[in-house]
Amino acid sequence: VSAPTDPVNTDTTNVVGGQIRLEKTQALDKNCNGSLVDVGDVAYTTANLAALPGECIMYSIKATNEGVSPVTTIVINDTTPAFTKLSVAPAPAIVTANTTLPAPATTGINTNGATGALGATVSELNGAQTATFTFSVKIDEIPQLYNEK
């Protein structure tokens, strides 16, 4: 009888160098003051919101590097939705924890009442780091069709 052979156990692990995941959430800012502490405001969520003309919606787009290696030149783009205009309370902003690199910069529209494309550029995110781009829009008012006397 021959001697038993040593068992062989092979374990393979795939490591992703760099992978960016984007998560967009929205919050209701009823008073358009850039704060979510007023009565009727709704915290950031991925769920649908019920908003009325004249109210504001704050958007947050979080980019997370789910890999282990740095990812460079991350560009986040969005646009103001139909029937809305940019509200600068708060102004479009990008925040990241990576303070050793040049500060991230916003791009595109940045004036109150503007419509169109806006975004941000982050020079680098290391593994597990995040950058968050935020902006706010105001829902267009319903035009008054006639004057009551």
Side-chain angles (χ1 to χ4, degrees):
V1 173
S2 60
T5 59
D6 289 336
V8 175
N9 185 5
T10 302
D11 185 17
T12 303
T13 302
N14 295 320
V15 177
V16 175
Q19 174 177 311
I20 299 294
R21 177 179 304 273
L22 296 177
E23 178 187 38
K24 185 175 182 180
T25 55
Q26 58 190 0
L28 179 60
D29 179 13
K30 290 181 90 56
N31 297 331
C32 297
N33 61 4
S35 170
L36 296 176
V37 297
D38 300 317
V39 173
D41 288 349
V42 177
Y44 282 103
T45 180
T46 56
N48 290 334
L49 294 176
L52 299 173
E55 295 178 341
C56 288
I57 300 172
M58 297 170 61
Y59 291 103
S60 174
I61 303 173
K62 183 169 76 172
T64 302
N65 181 353
E66 294 184 334
V68 295
S69 300
V71 176
T72 59
T73 316
I74 298 103
V75 178
I76 302 169
N77 291 309
D78 208 341
T79 188
T80 53
F83 309 108
T84 69
K85 292 179 178 51
L86 187 67
S87 173
V88 293
I94 180 79
V95 177
T96 179
N98 196 341
T99 57
T100 61
L101 297 168
T106 60
T107 58
I109 62 171
N110 63 3
T111 55
N112 204 35
T115 60
L118 68 163
T121 301
V122 179
S123 60
E124 182 176 298
L125 282 180
N126 292 319
Q129 283 189 324
T130 64
T132 304
F133 174 60
T134 55
F135 67 98
S136 182
V137 297
K138 185 173 184 177
I139 300 170
D140 293 344
E141 300 279 350
I142 297 173
Q144 190 170 1
L145 300 176
Y146 61 91
N147 287 329
E148 289 187 32
K149 295 184 180 183

